[in-house]
Amino acid sequence: MQKYFLLTFLLIFSLLPAHSKNHEKKYLIGFSQCISSDTWRQTMQAEMQNELVLYPNFELVIKDANGNSQQQIQDVEDFLKMGIDLLIISPNESKPLTPVVQSVYQKGIPVIVIDRNIDSDDYTVYIGANNYEIGLAAGQYAANLLKGNGKIVEIWGLKGSTPALSRHKGFMDVISKYPDLQVIFSETGEWEEEGGRKKMSEALDLLENIDLVFAHNDYMALGAWQMAREKNRAKDISFLGVDGLPGIDGGVQQVIDHKLNATFLYPTGGDKAIDMAWQILNDEPIEKEMILQTVVIDSSNANVIKLQTDQILTLQDKIQTFKTIINEQLIKYEGQRTILIISLGFLFIVVALSFLLFTAYRSKNIINIKLEKHRTEIQKRNHELLEVSKKLEEATQAKLRFFTNLSHEFRTPLTLILGPLESTLAKKNLNKEDRHTFERMNRNANRLLRMINQLMDMRKIDNEKMDVRIGHYDLIKFVAEIKESFDELASKRNINFSFRSNLSKVELYFDFDKLDKIFFNLLSNAFKFTSDAGNISISIDEISHQFDHQTSEAVEIEIRDNGRGMSPEHIERIFDRFYQIEQESNKLGTGIGLSLTKSFVELHKGTIDVKSQKGKGTSFFIYLRKGHEHFDSSELITETDQRHSNNNLLDELVPTKDEKQEKETQLPFEDKPSVLVVEDNADVRSYIRESLHLHYRITEVENGLDALNSIKEEEPDLIVSDIMMPVMDGLEMTRKIKTDINTCHIPVILLTAKSSEQNRIEGIEEGADSYIPKPFNSKHLEVRVKKLIEGRRNIRAFYKNNYTQIEKLDEQISPLDKKFIRKVNDLIDLNLADSNFKVEALSEELNMSRVHFYRKIKSITDMTATEYLRNYKLKRAAAILMKNEFSISEVAYQTGFTSSSYFSKCFKELYTITPQQYMNS
């Protein structure tokens, strides 16, 4: 066995790749290309790739700036982050790229600048043809071709680039020596074929005689030739280009096809750049400037050059093919060797494990027999426990569902208790004894409401549906306001109730509502178990605290009392649900307040602790982290939502002076706005009617279906509806109202016992304009109704003057109403001159009855349908009159008025001046 292991090891090690100190170093080269979309630059990159076959230790990464200098600067900075050994760059523009190239060079990284130069000598090597020499050669060729006499069109490249500037200068230095040679048109074609076509078209339109066109590259020369041919002037003009690229679209082929008279070879230098990189990285001597030679390609040598370039391209294709084949074979070899090594390694492991498994097999069989007996017994017991647990869970859930549903049902009678109580307590003529009785009733009704809310919160936590709405608040101000609400109780019981903090302001992220409940539960317990004349205090400090084994900046809140205190066995279970300390029966609660408090603290990613000593008092400590990084972004709310969370409902419920005056001045019954009350509970309907009847005409129905039928008979100004009702609930009714063009403008207030944020959002999504949870205050409802009806009146007043301009309609009008007004306006515009196009025809086009159309227009614009149609036409007439192109009678007929006198009468009623005065003004 040992010999076999040794032989396997020797075989594996013999297959491992050998590493030597002389292993060839790998180099990373970055090439920043200004643009790769043209054939010349693609040829440059192809030459680089072909040359890389000779340098297997080079890795070339190419980035294309797409003609954007800022992008090319970013590309160079990305190369630096990659850790390149050498940079090759063809600058898009000289000036913007100079600083970043200098930066690379000054960091000690070699830089090869190719084709276009920079405005500095901070580079290692420049490779490129001498564009000035190309310009000289082109100028001399043009002078010889024209025999020193002729008119020339020059089509530049991009005027900001160095090649274009140098070619132009060289060309003009020759042309200027011949007095009879004139450059009569010189514009930029921006290196593109389409640019050549466009500039040639301009030249041909402006000039009658053109003898020669010199374009700074073959693309623009070809474009110029094509445009000249299209205008039947190509035969009289000679065309010169620059680049002399091989291939079907190259300049060589254009010369052979007699499209160009000549082109001047502009070598790319791609292969030279790779060779030069090798010399630089191997510290071989180099020259700073490598100028590539140019040559004239015309009909005398174009075919020979084409044969040479075709052979070169064929050889390059073969080289690339061989390179691909070799790479594939190397990959296969490496893969096969890796598989063999892994296979031998697995074989060695299998042999070793086989021996170990064999020795363990017999022991395992013996143990398995014993374990099987135990497993059977355990499975049987587990099955029994699961059944019991399942039944207990079902029973628990059934109880919680019962209490939750019961809690929802309690909200309706609580509305009928708390609402009248609050209204009664608002009266000033109550005697002291009655007021004391009503205050006790109100206090206990609110206590019942809090217990119901706690039960519902507990249910949400169990179902993991309790969300937090985290806002940014001042904790000091928040706690001070809570303390004020307990000051009166402390005063009555002569308790020293204090709030201490060395900080004037503490910015903290928390859920306003839930932290309020935390303080209420803890302070309620403190007052419950503290004797009269005792001490209760709140203190806040900034500290460092450990959360989940990580120390963070935090706020410590301590609520301390000198009450009865607790023994150690009670402290351990004080946060358990339904746990109660059996000491005084008259002070027993529900047993869920502290459990909920702990859950709310944990929702804030905080911790809560308690210290207590029997007979000396209790201290609760809450630790909340500073900042908001520990909360999900979905839990954070906006500043607007924060203000809503902190909004005191009582502010809405205090009648303003205007409201008090309204009570004294009642409107006649027929002038009162109409309100439809949809509620299946007769007592609640009665309560709502009593709250609103002084200012509104009230209609009552018991469900959503009856409400829809009632709306068809008489359209109300507003609807107040419960959500949970038989036949059709409030949500479905709201959806039908808000998706019907005839009724979508009617405001809807939803009342419900389900007061969670999710239920509120569900109601708003169906289109409800307001959402009031039960139990609700009658004044709250009255204010909401008043504000919504006033809002609709204000909207109608606004739209009465702006209805012709749909873009001014704000978000308070529904999308259906906007679409309706737009369609009405379009139909009137379409039939503007038709005097027979009346309201009946308009309603028929809209597929609406005349009655519904009248109601709809009135509800949105506060005008009758006839007024709307007439005034709309008059506004269109005013727009025509402003142009002062037609007479008054012509404008009248254009806008559908059969009589110019009647038109003038209506116009003056709307604008208070005559049409003639309007035109003159």
Side-chain angles (χ1 to χ4, degrees):
M1 180 69 74
Q2 291 177 349
K3 290 180 180 180
Y4 179 77
F5 286 164
L6 181 60
L7 184 62
T8 305
F9 272 126
L10 289 173
L11 183 58
I12 293 173
F13 287 133
S14 70
L15 291 169
L16 291 174
H19 295 276
S20 67
K21 293 182 181 178
N22 296 322
H23 187 67
E24 197 167 21
K25 181 181 177 182
K26 297 287 184 181
Y27 294 100
L28 179 62
I29 298 175
F31 175 34
S32 175
Q33 178 68 283
C34 60
I35 188 168
S36 298
S37 59
D38 63 77
T39 307
W40 190 85
R41 296 196 176 276
Q42 291 170 1
T43 303
M44 176 194 288
Q45 292 173 198
E47 289 180 357
M48 287 183 176
Q49 296 291 351
N50 291 332
E51 197 67 18
L52 284 171
V53 174
L54 303 176
Y55 303 101
N57 59 327
F58 277 8
E59 180 184 351
L60 180 67
V61 179
I62 301 175
K63 287 183 178 289
D64 180 7
N66 289 315
N68 186 315
S69 297
Q70 291 302 316
Q71 180 61 47
Q72 193 166 25
I73 292 169
Q74 183 61 50
D75 290 344
V76 173
E77 291 175 350
D78 291 342
F79 279 139
L80 287 175
K81 294 176 183 177
M82 293 167 62
I84 57 171
D85 299 292
L86 182 141
L87 173 67
I88 303 174
I89 183 168
S90 178
N92 184 56
E93 295 176 278
S94 300
K95 190 172 182 180
L97 271 298
T98 297
V100 72
V101 174
Q102 287 179 313
S103 173
V104 175
Y105 181 76
Q106 290 165 8
K107 291 181 186 293
I109 299 172
V111 178
I112 297 176
V113 180
I114 188 167
D115 176 33
R116 302 176 181 177
N117 213 332
I118 61 171
D119 296 341
S120 168
D121 291 332
D122 285 348
Y123 55 81
T124 309
V125 173
Y126 168 74
I127 299 174
N130 189 321
N131 284 287
Y132 178 77
E133 293 293 336
I134 290 175
L136 288 175
Q140 193 60 56
Y141 192 91
N144 295 337
L145 187 63
L146 298 177
K147 297 179 181 180
N149 186 357
K151 296 182 178 181
I152 300 172
V153 169
E154 181 184 14
I155 302 178
W156 285 56
L158 191 66
K159 285 196 174 181
S161 64
T162 53
L165 293 169
S166 298
R167 291 176 190 180
H168 170 73
K169 187 175 186 308
F171 184 77
M172 294 305 299
D173 285 351
V174 173
I175 297 301
S176 62
K177 296 176 181 178
Y178 296 87
D180 294 329
L181 285 179
Q182 294 181 338
V183 176
I184 57 176
F185 184 89
S186 181
E187 293 290 339
T188 178
E190 298 184 351
W191 303 115
E192 300 292 335
E193 182 178 323
E194 185 59 34
R197 284 178 59 85
K198 182 178 178 182
K199 295 305 173 183
M200 189 62 187
S201 177
E202 293 175 7
L204 290 169
D205 292 339
L206 290 172
L207 307 169
E208 292 184 2
N209 296 320
I210 300 174
D211 298 303
L212 182 140
V213 174
F214 170 50
H216 284 199
N217 70 4
D218 293 338
Y219 294 114
M220 295 187 293
L222 178 60
W225 176 82
Q226 289 171 344
M227 180 53 67
R229 186 186 63 172
E230 290 174 11
K231 296 192 176 185
N232 297 317
R233 294 178 64 181
K235 294 180 180 179
D236 303 326
I237 303 173
S238 300
F239 293 88
L240 305 182
V242 176
D243 279 348
L245 291 178
I248 297 174
D249 300 324
V252 176
Q253 187 64 47
Q254 293 173 26
V255 173
I256 292 171
D257 293 341
H258 303 294
K259 298 175 182 178
L260 304 184
N261 293 70
T263 182
F264 298 87
L265 178 65
Y266 184 56
T268 68
D271 54 343
K272 301 293 189 297
I274 300 300
D275 292 339
M276 186 58 67
W278 171 260
Q279 294 178 41
I280 293 169
L281 293 172
N282 285 275
D283 298 325
E284 294 184 8
I286 57 170
E287 294 183 5
K288 193 173 182 70
E289 306 288 333
M290 178 181 282
I291 305 302
L292 305 175
Q293 298 302 313
T294 184
V295 65
V296 179
I297 302 171
D298 56 13
S299 57
S300 65
N301 62 356
N303 285 305
V304 175
I305 290 176
K306 183 176 186 300
L307 286 172
Q308 291 175 345
T309 56
D310 287 348
Q311 289 179 355
I312 291 170
L313 290 173
T314 302
L315 287 173
Q316 287 176 345
D317 290 341
K318 288 182 179 180
I319 290 170
Q320 193 62 40
T321 302
F322 289 147
K323 179 183 176 183
T324 303
I325 293 171
I326 291 169
N327 287 338
E328 289 176 352
Q329 293 300 320
L330 287 173
I331 291 170
K332 287 182 181 178
Y333 169 72
E334 291 294 336
Q336 290 171 352
R337 185 175 66 176
T338 302
I339 292 171
L340 181 58
I341 293 171
I342 293 172
S343 300
L344 289 173
F346 273 120
L347 179 61
F348 174 77
I349 293 170
V350 167
V351 171
L353 288 176
S354 297
F355 177 77
L356 295 173
L357 288 171
F358 178 75
T359 56
Y361 179 72
R362 281 184 285 176
S363 301
K364 189 192 81 162
N365 282 340
I366 296 170
I367 293 170
N368 278 347
I369 294 171
K370 294 179 180 178
L371 288 176
E372 184 62 28
K373 292 180 180 178
H374 288 297
R375 188 177 68 82
T376 304
E377 292 179 6
I378 291 170
Q379 283 183 339
K380 183 179 178 181
R381 292 179 182 177
N382 282 344
H383 181 72
E384 292 173 354
L385 287 172
L386 285 172
E387 288 295 322
V388 172
S389 177
K390 185 178 179 181
K391 291 177 181 178
L392 286 172
E393 179 64 21
E394 289 174 353
T396 301
Q397 290 299 323
K399 290 177 183 177
L400 287 174
R401 278 195 299 272
F402 168 75
F403 283 117
T404 303
N405 292 335
L406 193 62
S407 298
H408 285 305
E409 292 300 322
F410 281 161
R411 286 182 175 271
T412 296
L414 277 173
T415 298
L416 300 173
I417 295 171
L418 284 169
L421 276 174
E422 290 171 356
S423 298
T424 303
L425 286 170
K427 296 178 181 178
K428 295 182 178 181
N429 57 353
L430 282 177
N431 60 53
K432 185 176 181 181
E433 184 178 348
D434 288 342
R435 181 174 295 280
H436 181 70
T437 301
F438 285 128
E439 285 176 348
R440 187 186 301 120
M441 292 167 64
N442 187 56
R443 189 165 54 252
N444 282 280
N446 277 300
R447 183 167 177 263
L448 178 59
L449 178 60
R450 283 195 299 273
M451 288 190 290
I452 290 170
N453 289 336
Q454 285 185 338
L455 189 61
M456 295 173 72
D457 287 341
M458 182 182 68
R459 177 67 168 160
K460 289 177 194 173
I461 290 172
D462 287 343
N463 292 332
E464 298 182 353
K465 291 184 178 180
M466 177 64 77
D467 298 323
V468 287
R469 292 168 52 78
I470 303 300
H472 193 209
Y473 309 100
D474 177 8
L475 182 64
I476 300 297
K477 181 180 177 183
F478 173 83
V479 175
E481 289 175 354
I482 290 176
K483 179 185 177 295
E484 287 179 7
S485 64
F486 283 88
D487 281 342
E488 185 178 354
L489 176 60
S491 176
K492 288 181 179 179
R493 295 182 53 192
N494 198 25
I495 290 176
N496 179 24
F497 183 32
S498 62
F499 172 34
R500 178 200 63 79
S501 178
N502 295 328
L503 307 165
S504 60
K505 188 176 184 180
V506 175
E507 298 287 342
L508 194 66
Y509 284 86
F510 58 86
D511 184 312
F512 195 95
D513 175 65
K514 290 177 179 57
L515 196 62
D516 180 82
K517 290 179 179 178
I518 290 170
F519 272 96
F520 184 86
N521 283 335
L522 295 178
L523 288 172
S524 295
N525 273 355
F527 277 93
K528 184 190 298 183
F529 295 107
T530 300
S531 302
D532 293 352
N535 295 307
I536 298 175
S537 65
I538 305 172
S539 61
I540 296 177
D541 293 295
E542 290 183 324
I543 63 166
S544 293
H545 187 71
Q546 197 170 51
F547 300 91
D548 298 325
H549 311 292
Q550 182 179 0
T551 302
S552 302
E553 294 298 312
V555 173
E556 179 191 68
I557 305 166
E558 180 186 2
I559 297 177
R560 174 183 295 181
D561 66 67
N562 65 344
R564 299 181 176 280
M566 295 178 282
S567 56
E569 66 269 18
H570 293 311
I571 294 174
E572 292 178 1
R573 300 189 59 192
I574 194 63
F575 294 113
D576 291 352
R577 186 176 295 176
F578 306 124
Y579 182 76
Q580 296 178 339
I581 301 173
E582 299 177 1
Q583 48 185 343
E584 288 191 29
S585 58
N586 65 328
K587 292 189 178 179
L588 289 177
T590 60
I592 62 174
L594 288 177
S595 174
L596 272 177
T597 298
K598 186 173 187 291
S599 298
F600 287 154
V601 172
E602 289 172 350
L603 285 172
H604 283 79
K605 310 297 188 296
T607 60
I608 185 169
D609 196 9
V610 59
K611 292 181 181 178
S612 185
Q613 191 172 353
K614 187 75 171 175
K616 292 189 176 180
T618 302
S619 291
F620 284 92
F621 298 89
I622 301 169
Y623 300 96
L624 300 176
R625 300 184 214 200
K626 302 195 74 175
H628 60 77
E629 292 77 12
H630 48 290
F631 294 112
D632 292 334
S633 58
S634 61
E635 296 173 332
L636 301 174
I637 61 175
T638 63
E639 290 185 10
T640 303
D641 292 330
Q642 291 173 26
R643 289 194 295 270
H644 175 72
S645 298
N646 196 11
N647 204 16
N648 189 348
L649 183 60
L650 292 177
D651 293 342
E652 286 188 21
L653 304 184
V654 178
T656 63
K657 292 181 180 179
D658 292 339
E659 290 170 357
K660 291 176 180 178
Q661 290 172 1
E662 284 180 13
K663 290 186 177 182
E664 296 171 2
T665 59
Q666 298 291 324
L667 290 172
F669 180 79
E670 61 276 6
D671 294 336
K672 292 179 180 179
S674 61
V675 175
L676 176 62
V677 178
V678 190
E679 168 65 67
D680 60 324
N681 186 293
D683 288 336
V684 176
R685 286 203 309 274
S686 175
Y687 176 54
I688 295 172
R689 184 179 65 252
E690 291 171 3
S691 301
L692 303 176
H693 78 280
L694 290 176
H695 304 291
Y696 306 97
R697 288 183 288 117
I698 308 299
T699 304
E700 301 177 34
V701 293
E702 295 185 0
N703 57 66
L705 185 60
D706 290 345
L708 295 178
N709 293 330
S710 175
I711 292 169
K712 291 178 183 177
E713 295 177 6
E714 183 181 356
E715 187 177 289
D717 292 292
L718 182 137
I719 299 170
V720 178
S721 175
D722 191 12
I723 288 184
M724 299 173 68
M725 296 181 295
V727 185
M728 181 187 291
D729 63 30
L731 291 177
E732 184 180 354
M733 178 202 72
T734 302
R735 182 167 57 254
K736 289 182 180 296
I737 290 172
K738 292 299 182 178
T739 54
D740 186 342
I741 187 62
N742 295 313
T743 58
C744 61
H745 57 276
I746 304 174
V748 177
I749 297 176
L750 289 179
L751 308 173
T752 182
K754 295 183 177 181
S755 58
S756 70
E757 191 68 24
Q758 183 179 354
N759 300 129
R760 185 189 302 271
I761 292 170
E762 185 180 16
I764 299 302
E765 283 179 344
E766 296 297 348
D769 298 87
S770 188
Y771 189 100
I772 301 178
K774 293 180 181 179
F776 59 87
N777 182 280
S778 62
K779 178 53 64 179
H780 183 191
L781 175 62
E782 187 179 342
V783 170
R784 289 280 181 96
V785 170
K786 177 178 179 293
K787 295 300 182 185
L788 281 174
I789 291 178
E790 282 182 354
R792 289 300 303 177
R793 287 175 179 165
N794 293 336
I795 291 169
R796 286 198 295 270
F798 174 77
Y799 296 145
K800 189 170 184 178
N801 297 316
N802 296 280
Y803 58 88
T804 59
Q805 302 177 41
I806 302 301
E807 66 277 3
K808 288 188 177 181
L809 302 183
D810 60 26
E811 295 180 356
Q812 295 182 28
I813 187 171
S814 73
L816 279 179
D817 283 347
K818 286 183 184 177
K819 184 177 179 182
F820 171 77
I821 289 293
R822 186 177 286 108
K823 191 170 183 180
V824 170
N825 292 352
D826 289 345
L827 284 170
I828 299 174
D829 285 332
L830 191 63
N831 299 276
L832 191 62
D834 186 355
S835 60
N836 294 319
F837 190 71
K838 305 294 185 183
V839 173
E840 291 76 8
L842 182 55
S843 60
E844 186 176 342
E845 289 285 345
L846 293 166
N847 294 319
M848 294 178 71
S849 70
R850 191 171 183 274
V851 173
H852 278 138
F853 179 64
Y854 266 80
R855 284 183 182 176
K856 192 70 183 178
I857 286 292
K858 184 70 174 175
S859 68
I860 297 176
T861 66
D862 202 25
M863 287 187 287
T864 67
T866 304
E867 279 182 298
Y868 185 88
L869 180 59
R870 184 178 66 245
N871 289 356
Y872 186 89
K873 288 187 172 187
L874 289 171
K875 284 183 181 289
R876 287 288 185 247
I880 299 172
L881 287 171
M882 285 180 67
K883 297 177 182 178
N884 215 3
E885 296 176 355
F886 302 98
S887 67
I888 294 172
S889 59
E890 287 175 325
V891 173
Y893 294 132
Q894 286 177 20
T895 52
F897 288 87
T898 56
S899 167
S900 59
S901 60
Y902 178 66
F903 168 73
S904 298
K905 175 180 177 294
C906 295
F907 192 92
K908 186 174 183 180
E909 287 178 358
L910 181 62
Y911 289 100
T912 69
I913 59 175
T914 65
Q916 186 62 52
Q917 290 172 329
Y918 188 86
M919 290 175 68
N920 295 337
S921 65

